[in-house]
Amino acid sequence: MIGYSLVAQSQTCTPTNQLMFYQDFETNQPTLPESSNVGLSHHITAGQVFGTKAMAIHNSTTALSGTYGPVNASFATDVKVSINFLPILVGYNGNKNFVSLGDDYLSVLVSLNNGQTWSREIVMYSNEEELKYDFSSIVSQSLTYKGTGLYDLIALTSNNKVNKVELLFPNGTDLSKLAIRVEGLINKKKNDPDKHWVFDNIFIEGKFVETKTWNGSTWVALSNPKKTLPPTSTEKVVIDANYTTQNNGSFTACECTINSGKTLTINPDTYVSVYNDITNNGIVNVLDDANLIQVNDNGKFTGNPIKVNRSTKLKKNEYNYWGSPVSNQNLLSFSPSTSTSGFYTYNESTDLFARVTPGSNSFASAKGYAILAPSNYTTSSNTVFNGTFTGTPNNGIQTIQISKNKNGNNLVGNPYPSNISFRKLYEANSSIIEPIAYIWTNTNPNPTKMQGSNYSGANYAIVNLSGGIPALNSTDKPTETISVGQGFIIKKSNPGTSNLVFNNNMRISTKSKFSNARLPLLDQPKVWLKLTTPAQNFNTTLIGYIQGATDDIDNGYDTKPMYKTSDMFYSVVNSETLVIQGKSNNFSIDDKVQLGAVYYEPGNYEISIAQVEGIFNGAQDIYLKDNQLNKTVNLSQGPYHFQAETGVDNTRFEIVYKTDSTLGVDNFSKTKETVVYKSAENIIVENNSNKITSVQVFDATGKLVASAKPNSNQFSIENSKFQKGLVIFKISLNDKIETKKFLVK
């Protein structure tokens, strides 16, 4: 699922009217075992049955019957049996009948003890000779089960064309061994060569919550053992044998019970989503990158604690930021090999980390903690740290007090055993926080020195509504998803203290990237630019053309660096330095983006493209203009190397999207090898030396809007086919591929 959000529902599973049994006679096998239908035959007459088949009793002087069941309906309320039927006299256009009391009848019998005894409940008959019947309209009559053998009579007349009967059972009736019998009798009379009673669609239904039990190989439905489909959000689940989502699949349920001695294992990149209560009488393991979701904020968890696993790679003296997905997880028990002096919380008022005593403290809900790697790790190589949180999973509304007495930096943590959407976290708290998250990496470990302007590292990957950028020397960009167990820093936007609120609407089951709901991610042009230093360190900055952003400073789409660091790389807007710049989605090749950098030492530097999306992914080149050397280079074709001195420079470089020779994109000289120009009402692509084998035309978002294979020196397309703005032609020749831009006016 792009990552998906779930909306809170009612706290309990609501009984709904559902089928426990049906027999439509369309296949040889009913939905539940049935007794033999001696003397009965399938009847096929269009317009007189549902589907193609029904059961028929015809020309019999002996009562014939079909028996259906037994059915366990004891778990349902408002149970009823319904049967559709027709009296038919074939030979008179197949739509007349002749039945009379004592000679011809159809009746419904009920047994509550699997056929040991029967009670006749309904008898249908008629004294009229000609009745025209079909199922073009349904006329139903409802009666109540009595169990006394005193049946109800239904007289079929021209004014009472009943063709469906319903038998209602009073609540409290023992329906654990319910069986139904349909019995009919026909006597030949006069000139009626072929008389029939036809019945169809025998339904047993009632109000209940379906329960599906995992038996080790399949799901078994309470209402019908032949129903083996996976559960849905309206159904209860019982895990009665070991279950792994890796082998058996993710599932959604209304409620979930894990039986004693059984294990539910949720594997990486899978999920179990439960709308309401979870009862764990067995074992639940949520593995790394797996998700256990409760949808309802008021859903309860009872029973044994669960285990949530989260792994990361660390070297000695490195830290990770953590948040607990369960309650009452002791800090020291989580990382017992870490020095007791290596557990920290964050003090916003000082911008310093403060030690916390791990043995006597547990993770607080939604609070972030910096925890040092185990003492026996080495400084030379990464070691996998397998953290296990054990306890009752957090669910529903979780709050933590955040403050702004200084810079507003607060270390918080994902409080759930499932991923959350940072976008939704911001939307729920937009009045008190900035739409920015800072995620710690270990480029320059030692969080105790992270204090205001004195912090000179670049450990933080950053994400906002435009996208994410990695930390120094990293290519791992954060996305909208905040993983299970992840601690991260958010910035409070207004002075004072407030409660940051988490709720189940933020919980998601899959990883995803930032995207605007009104525009697909890949349609938004983005470029990540990388500055590599003489020491081979590198920093990344993002420029994105995002729907919702403007070319000015926008809260949520533009982000300044967290602190000033050496070898910074950024863009500049109105003298502000931005590590992420969101610009208006109305991309234009006339746009320019000012770049700046802080150079730690003199030497040879490099600017390159780290990643692109949208139109930059092949259709639109990206140029770097060096104002100091008065030259423009195509970064799409390779990195740019240059010499720089120590210090800050915000004027030397800018990003442009055309060279000086393409300023007039609709006035190409026809002496060039390949030209694109307007002639009358058409746009012409022409090459006098090579045949044009194919042409692809893209709009400014990178969407393919036209294509052709002219296999000629010239290609023509109507100008009116395009909206105003930039279009890009990708032209395949015999020996090469060229990209040309044209401005439709």
Side-chain angles (χ1 to χ4, degrees):
M1 58 159 54
I2 294 180
Y4 64 85
S5 58
L6 299 171
V7 180
Q9 304 291 318
S10 59
Q11 184 176 351
T12 57
C13 304
T14 303
T16 57
N17 200 62
Q18 301 186 60
L19 281 174
M20 290 169 278
F21 170 92
Y22 74 94
Q23 174 55 275
D24 58 6
F25 303 108
E26 298 303 309
T27 62
N28 292 328
Q29 293 296 323
T31 55
L32 281 179
E34 64 173 293
S35 64
S36 60
N37 299 294
V38 179
L40 277 65
S41 64
H42 279 100
H43 177 87
I44 306 174
T45 306
Q48 295 175 346
V49 297
F50 290 105
T52 59
K53 296 180 180 180
M55 196 62 77
I57 301 171
H58 60 93
N59 295 339
S60 173
T61 58
T62 303
L64 299 177
S65 64
T67 303
Y68 308 96
V71 176
N72 178 10
S74 60
F75 49 82
T77 61
D78 300 331
V79 176
K80 67 179 179 180
V81 174
S82 61
I83 302 172
N84 292 87
F85 67 92
L86 290 176
I88 300 174
L89 177 58
V90 178
Y92 291 93
N93 299 322
N95 61 5
K96 299 181 180 181
N97 79 317
F98 178 90
V99 291
S100 61
L101 182 61
D103 292 325
D104 301 280
Y105 69 86
L106 188 72
S107 62
V108 178
L109 297 89
V110 172
S111 173
L112 300 185
N113 52 19
N114 192 16
Q116 296 181 34
T117 59
W118 293 92
S119 171
R120 192 179 303 271
E121 294 291 320
I122 307 173
V123 174
M124 287 81 74
Y125 75 98
S126 177
N127 287 321
E128 294 190 18
E129 292 192 5
E130 293 187 2
L131 293 174
K132 294 183 178 180
Y133 260 82
D134 59 32
F135 285 132
S136 60
S137 61
I138 302 299
V139 180
S140 179
Q141 185 164 340
S142 295
L143 300 164
T144 300
Y145 170 79
K146 296 178 289 298
T148 61
L150 298 176
Y151 52 81
D152 289 301
L153 285 170
I154 299 178
L156 308 177
T157 69
S158 299
N159 296 321
N160 185 34
K161 292 184 178 180
V162 174
N163 54 15
K164 179 180 180 180
V165 290
E166 294 182 337
L167 186 62
L168 311 178
F169 292 88
N171 290 335
T173 306
D174 182 2
L175 300 177
S176 58
K177 297 178 180 179
L178 173 63
I180 303 299
R181 176 178 289 172
V182 181
E183 182 181 271
L185 175 71
I186 293 178
N187 285 323
K188 284 189 174 183
K189 284 189 176 183
K190 298 182 180 180
N191 295 317
D192 47 349
D194 197 1
K195 296 196 305 182
H196 292 70
W197 281 106
V198 176
F199 59 93
D200 201 357
N201 283 12
I202 302 172
F203 288 179
I204 301 177
E205 55 192 307
K207 291 183 179 179
F208 63 95
V209 178
E210 180 69 279
T211 298
K212 290 185 175 174
T213 300
W214 176 255
N215 66 5
S217 60
T218 190
W219 293 102
V220 178
L222 172 64
S223 66
N224 186 341
K226 289 192 175 183
K227 289 183 180 179
T228 58
L229 293 174
T232 68
S233 61
T234 63
E235 298 171 337
K236 295 181 181 179
V237 157
V238 176
I239 303 298
D240 197 39
N242 293 344
Y243 189 97
T244 66
T245 54
Q246 179 178 0
N247 296 329
N248 305 307
S250 302
F251 66 83
T252 301
C254 179
E255 294 178 6
C256 181
T257 298
I258 300 92
N259 282 348
S260 177
K262 313 306 177 185
T263 299
L264 169 62
T265 301
I266 310 174
N267 298 96
D269 300 320
T270 66
Y271 67 89
V272 168
S273 177
V274 180
Y275 272 65
N276 297 296
D277 297 346
I278 299 175
T279 302
N280 180 27
N281 298 319
I283 298 171
V284 175
N285 292 321
V286 183
L287 302 187
D288 201 44
D289 288 325
N291 294 274
L292 174 62
I293 298 174
Q294 279 181 273
V295 180
N296 188 337
D297 280 334
N298 296 317
K300 297 183 177 68
F301 180 94
T302 56
N304 301 329
I306 70 169
K307 292 183 182 294
V308 181
N309 302 298
R310 185 79 247 180
S311 65
T312 189
K313 292 181 178 180
L314 293 169
K315 296 177 183 177
K316 188 174 184 178
N317 298 326
E318 290 186 342
Y319 287 79
N320 196 69
Y321 290 178
W322 298 97
S324 177
V326 302
S327 61
N328 300 320
Q329 171 63 60
N330 179 262
L331 286 162
L332 187 59
S333 296
F334 176 72
S335 188
S337 297
T338 293
S339 167
T340 55
S341 62
F343 294 80
Y344 294 86
T345 57
Y346 194 72
N347 188 332
E348 184 277 331
S349 63
T350 62
D351 259 348
L352 286 169
F353 279 83
R355 285 196 178 109
V356 59
T357 304
S360 57
N361 284 281
S362 295
F363 284 86
S365 176
K367 191 176 184 69
Y369 295 81
I371 301 178
L372 188 67
S375 302
N376 59 348
Y377 282 18
T378 68
T379 58
S380 58
S381 61
N382 284 316
T383 302
V384 176
F385 173 81
N386 291 307
T388 300
F389 299 93
T390 303
T392 299
N394 294 323
N395 180 55
I397 296 174
Q398 306 288 321
T399 62
I400 181 174
Q401 191 175 81
I402 60 173
S403 60
K404 184 177 183 180
N405 299 304
K406 192 172 185 181
N407 292 317
N409 297 317
N410 291 263
L411 179 58
V412 299
N414 177 359
Y416 303 115
S418 66
N419 297 337
I420 62 172
S421 162
F422 175 71
R423 179 182 290 272
K424 288 187 173 293
L425 173 65
Y426 167 69
E427 289 172 351
N429 297 275
S430 59
S431 63
I432 61 170
I433 65 171
E434 297 182 13
I436 305 164
Y438 300 90
I439 300 174
W440 178 261
T441 68
N442 282 291
T443 302
N444 291 300
N446 200 347
T448 55
K449 292 183 179 179
M450 200 197 89
Q451 47 182 334
S453 60
N454 293 328
Y455 177 68
S456 60
N459 291 17
Y460 286 97
I462 305 173
V463 67
N464 71 3
L465 302 183
S466 292
I469 59 170
L472 176 71
N473 295 333
S474 173
T475 59
D476 188 14
K477 300 189 303 297
T479 69
E480 151 173 43
T481 299
I482 304 295
S483 299
V484 177
Q486 179 69 64
F488 57 101
I489 286 180
I490 52 95
K491 295 181 75 71
K492 193 169 187 298
S493 56
N494 53 339
T497 59
S498 303
N499 282 331
L500 182 73
V501 177
F502 294 81
N503 60 51
N504 282 2
N505 189 50
M506 303 168 189
R507 299 173 73 168
I508 55 178
S509 63
T510 55
K511 296 180 179 179
S512 60
K513 295 183 178 181
F514 266 113
S515 62
N516 187 285
R518 293 168 293 174
L519 193 68
L521 175 66
L522 295 181
D523 282 347
Q524 299 184 110
K526 295 181 183 179
V527 55
W528 285 263
L529 298 170
K530 183 170 69 175
L531 174 70
T532 304
T533 74
Q536 296 305 299
N537 296 316
F538 59 89
N539 268 315
T540 306
T541 189
L542 166 62
I543 301 163
Y545 292 82
I546 311 297
Q547 188 162 336
T550 71
D551 290 340
D552 292 325
I553 302 293
D554 301 306
N555 185 35
Y557 297 96
D558 301 302
T559 296
K560 302 174 186 178
M562 190 172 187
Y563 294 107
K564 294 180 180 179
T565 64
S566 57
D567 292 322
M568 288 177 62
F569 189 38
Y570 46 84
S571 60
V572 181
V573 177
N574 299 332
S575 301
E576 297 283 358
T577 59
L578 302 175
V579 290
I580 301 175
Q581 182 182 166
K583 297 178 65 66
S584 168
N585 189 242
N586 296 321
F587 173 76
S588 168
I589 63 168
D590 295 317
D591 192 35
K592 296 180 181 181
V593 180
Q594 183 180 347
L595 298 179
V598 178
Y599 303 110
Y600 176 72
E601 61 180 338
N604 185 35
Y605 287 78
E606 175 189 284
I607 294 177
S608 60
I609 294 175
Q611 184 181 339
V612 293
E613 289 180 1
I615 194 174
F616 299 138
N617 192 13
Q620 172 62 54
D621 287 336
I622 299 167
Y623 299 93
L624 179 70
K625 186 175 183 181
D626 187 335
N627 294 313
Q628 180 175 310
L629 300 181
N630 194 26
K631 62 187 296 187
T632 301
V633 296
N634 190 343
L635 284 182
S636 299
Q637 296 179 353
Y640 179 61
H641 298 271
F642 63 98
Q643 293 289 319
E645 299 297 324
T646 301
V648 179
D649 191 335
N650 290 344
T651 59
R652 178 172 179 176
F653 293 109
E654 58 185 344
I655 291 295
V656 296
Y657 301 105
K658 62 185 180 182
T659 62
D660 292 340
S661 62
T662 60
L663 290 175
V665 293
D666 59 340
N667 291 318
F668 287 102
S669 168
K670 291 189 180 183
T671 62
K672 292 184 178 181
E673 186 176 353
T674 303
V675 293
V676 180
Y677 60 93
K678 184 178 179 182
S679 176
E681 300 303 319
N682 295 327
I683 301 173
I684 309 296
V685 180
E686 186 175 279
N687 187 300
N688 293 322
S689 339
N690 288 286
K691 283 189 176 181
I692 301 169
T693 57
S694 70
V695 177
Q696 292 179 301
V697 189
F698 301 85
D699 66 15
T701 69
K703 179 181 178 182
L704 181 67
V705 294
S707 63
K709 295 182 178 180
N711 198 28
S712 172
N713 294 103
Q714 188 181 90
F715 166 71
S716 175
I717 189 169
E718 293 179 7
N719 186 73
S720 60
K721 290 183 177 292
F722 306 103
Q723 296 181 352
K724 292 181 180 180
L726 179 72
V727 293
I728 296 94
F729 290 83
K730 187 176 181 180
I731 305 159
S732 297
L733 305 169
N734 288 327
D735 57 349
K736 61 181 177 179
I737 296 176
E738 295 183 355
T739 301
K740 299 293 182 180
K741 296 172 282 290
F742 187 83
L743 189 62
V744 178
K745 297 182 178 180

